[in-house]
Amino acid sequence: MATIKHTGGALFQSGAERFLAAALLLFAAAVTIAPYLWMLSASFKTGQEMYVFPPTWLPTAPNLGNYIEVLQLPYAGQQLVNSLIYAGGTTLANLILCSLAGYAFARLEFRGRNALFALVLALLMVPTQSQIIPVFLIVKHIPFAGGNDWLGNGGTGLLNTYAGLILPNAATPFGIFLMRQFFIRVPPEYEESARLDGAGSFAIFRKILLPLSRPALTVLAILSFQQAWNDFVWPLILTSTRDMGTLQTGLQLLHSGPDTRWNVVMAAAALITAPMIIVFLSAQRHFIQNFASTGLKG
Amino acid sequence: MSSLTVESVTRIHNNGFTALADISFHVADRALAAIIGPSGCGKSTLLRLIAGLDPATSGRIRLGDRDVTGVAPGKRNVAMVFQSYALYPHFTVFENIAFPLRTRKVPRETVRREVEKVAELVQMTSRLHEKPVRLSGGQKQRVAIARAIVRQPEIFLMDEPLSNLDASLRMEMRQELRELQQKLGTTMIYVTHDQAEAMTMADDLIVLRNGVIEQAGEPMHLYQQPVNRFVAAFIGSPRMNIFDISNTGGQQSNELLHRLRTAGGEAISRQSPAFVGIRPEAFRLFSDPANDKAITVHVEVSSVERHGVQTLVHGRIPDFPAAAQTICLFPGDFRTSTGDLLKLSVAETGIHLFDDAGKRLG
Ligand SMILES: Nc1ncnc2c1ncn2[C@@H]1O[C@H](COP(=O)(O)OP(=O)(O)O)[C@@H](O)[C@H]1O
Ligand SMILES: [Mg+2]
């Protein structure tokens, strides 16, 4: 495997170039981070200060009132639990199913493999919006679920259930694609050597391949978790009761009226965004660490 | 600790390509057999069949008197060192070496003892707790070997194990590997495309070309009696000089061509030899005019390479059609320079004759 060398200072040689590069990067960073800073700032303001013109960047009298109010909202706790179950369940399901499917597509030789993989890829190109109604109907008509008969009629199926939330996203075409691409690049010698040493298929998968695929699994976990955590449309459509809603649907309810209190909305948004930011920051380290190691000739 | 018998093994890949055709050979217990041949001739394929990683399309493979043809790789009791070493990057050196024992549920304490024992054998005791990334090429090589020997297999398979090392380390490891193999007394099948490596290490050589065995036997036998032009040119360095003597290019046949054609005796000269092979080291400075068993060859020197231990003379033989080029090897420092006309001799036993299909005559 090739080793990537640091180019060091070679990329930007002169001081002026380096200054320009730093300035551009700073600008991009500022543009990206400004809305978040604004959200944070607003979440500490009082209701009156929200409407002051010109707007203030720093709250004149910062207070935690908005946060306390958000935390005391009815259903806030339940929605957090729902969001965690939805995002956690989706992530776990994707890790297991996508790595197994990706491994099969990468390594096992079976009839129709390429055709099947082409179908998975084709699914990548179908817009999510166009799938919502068919998927909703399928979920509603799962046989024997939610009072349905064996033909899937008569009841509510998996509507308003965790299974209904998670199952449609339990294995995503992108996740399968990601894992297949990863496994294809793992030299087959690892597995062959392990087979010669007497390890069975499952032991090879668990002891050799899964640890090797930590970088890919980390990426998959973050993307799955983030996708489900931020998902608004599917929970909105699937759930009709407040106690099954997720944080995103709760947030939407919070600012749907004409007299929206934006400072409270911003506090809720800050709380909802925080876990994602923490996940990204802590995962960054993993990415870099795991890219380095390879036991092949080097 | 077992012999290996391969009987009429054929391997046709899934795409219909015949990688090995009707391969048969036997390797004695405790012997080191080298499989050599140019890249793409089927060496790795053959090794994978012996390991059981790929199935043979037809034929049988026996370890000792056990037929392992359909047996899974993990149950054959063979160990393989891959060209890329295939050390697990997420395991330490210790865990890498311990892996074959752990998959066999060997008790913890025994694992530790055995791993330490082989680590000492390959001189890796001090690096047991490092990850493979931190090791040099030679050290990775040692770990890979340790992992292969730790479970005391009946037979070692090595696929070009030294090809990723630099030249001087390769020489050193060649020696070490041979000593280790003799100490452990384990049969070894060693794949290489380097004929010098094969010659110096092996008890038996198997020369493969395009999926077919060209010749098998003791290294010196192949060197002295190559069955065809391919083996003649493949074994030995510098390569054997091979001259086309079938066509005199309109010239009258001269004394030299006549002597070469009849060098093998009456019966062979009637089969009309088309090629003559002379090893670079078979040339001598002409000394004894009375010795009519030796054939006199004139060589016009075009360049001289001095290696100290030997001198390589590149030149042309004016008596051959188109004044064919030749390489002559002399021990030590041989005093000659460009433009000289050397009068050399070659013993009749140093002449190899081949027919127009390249097959050895005599
Ligand atoms: N899985 C495969 N499918 C088709 N052809 C293969 C496969 N593996 C190897 N080959 C072909 O078989 C021939 C022998 O390959 P290999 O045994 O790897 O050669 P070597 O190790 O002697 O260099 C090559 O021409 C190679 O392209
Ligand atoms: Mg090979």
Side-chain angles (χ1 to χ4, degrees), chain A residues 63-84:
Chain A
N63 68 92
L64 289 172
N66 301 329
Y67 285 93
I68 292 164
E69 195 170 325
V70 166
L71 292 177
Q72 284 172 347
L73 282 176
Y75 299 111
Q78 185 59 43
Q79 285 166 349
L80 173 65
V81 169
N82 294 346
S83 269
L84 282 175

Side-chain angles (χ1 to χ4, degrees), chain A residues 109 189-190 192-199 207-208 211-212 292-298, chain B residues 14 48 51 53 74 78 80 82 84 86-90 100 103-104 133 140 147 151 164:
Chain A
E109 287 187 8
E189 282 96 341
Y190 290 139
E192 290 171 349
S193 176
R195 264 168 72 200
L196 274 168
D197 289 339
K207 288 197 190 136
I208 310 288
L212 281 178
S293 47
T294 155
L296 294 188
K297 61 180 167 180
Chain B
N14 294 342
R48 295 172 58 85
L53 292 172
V78 300
M80 183 154 166
F82 291 84
S84 57
L87 299 180
Y88 310 121
H90 57 295
T103 61
R104 285 180 162 71
V133 242
K140 285 183 194 169
R147 186 174 64 182
R151 63 192 168 89
N164 288 325

Side-chain angles (χ1 to χ4, degrees), chain A residues 80-101:
Chain A
L80 173 65
V81 169
N82 294 346
S83 269
L84 282 175
I85 290 177
Y86 178 33
T90 306
T91 305
L92 196 68
N94 269 284
L95 287 180
I96 295 169
L97 298 177
C98 294
S99 60
L100 287 172

